[in-house]
Amino acid sequence: MEPAIVFYVARADNGVIGRDGGLPWRLPADLRRFKALTMGKPMLMGRATFESLGGPLPGRRHLVLTRDAGWRADGAEPVPTLAAALAAAGPVAELAVIGGAQVFAALRARAARVELTEVHDMAIAGDTILPAFAAEEGWRETAREDHPAADGRPAYSFVTLVRRA
């Protein structure tokens, strides 16, 4: 049985999800939520996303999608295809997909849920964009937790989206 594919992503209101190989904001609450929600789960990511982490995150498997058959890194399990990644994940309930944009695009039609941090700022500059998750695609919001701007950080919301059956 294939695991549920769940996206974990922070996205600015203008679609930006990254800049120069990293996040263009610092939201400690988002990082805490990410850790809590992904702990113990296999995570699928592209090679650049893995390298942006600065090393493997404790308590999670790191399946790294890469076309470079010779690529290796401590704590990473390289996989050449999405099918290989799903097979490598094994019999788990959920595969946490954490980026980047190409991996999100390749699995978007198969994703069952999105754990989204909406960063409420239209002026955030970045070089990596992710389209919004629209109702026309079958997404519906099932949870929202809003947080005001504070300490120089933008307002943000934790949102759970599920795909309508």
Side-chain angles (χ1 to χ4, degrees):
M1 181 173 125
E2 188 173 288
I5 294 170
V6 180
F7 288 0
Y8 292 86
V9 61
R11 180 184 178 279
D13 290 340
N14 63 358
V16 169
I17 64 169
R19 180 176 59 220
D20 300 327
L23 295 174
W25 49 74
R26 176 139 171 76
L27 293 173
D30 175 52
L31 299 177
R32 286 190 299 273
R33 179 176 186 254
F34 175 84
K35 179 179 180 179
L37 291 175
T38 61
M39 187 58 69
K41 296 174 182 167
M43 297 188 308
L44 175 62
M45 67 208 77
R47 179 196 46 76
T49 297
F50 177 80
E51 290 173 351
S52 78
L53 299 175
L57 303 176
R60 291 153 278 192
R61 288 178 62 204
H62 295 68
L63 303 172
V64 180
L65 194 59
T66 178
R67 290 180 287 271
D68 182 350
W71 183 85
R72 299 286 180 270
D74 287 343
E77 299 175 45
V79 291
T81 64
L82 293 173
L86 291 168
V92 295
E94 177 185 315
L95 178 61
V97 177
I98 67 166
Q102 291 179 5
V103 178
F104 288 133
L107 287 168
R108 191 171 181 122
R110 295 169 70 179
R113 191 173 86 237
V114 179
E115 294 295 344
L116 175 65
T117 299
E118 293 177 339
V119 180
H120 300 301
D121 189 336
M122 289 294 289
I124 291 179
D127 52 25
T128 309
I129 305 294
L130 181 68
F133 296 93
E136 296 80 30
E137 289 180 274
W139 295 108
R140 70 180 171 88
E141 186 175 306
T142 61
R144 174 176 290 270
E145 182 181 313
D146 296 320
H147 300 272
D151 301 322
R153 295 184 177 100
Y156 60 94
S157 300
F158 295 143
V159 180
T160 299
L161 303 170
V162 296
R163 180 146 354 238
R164 284 191 281 270

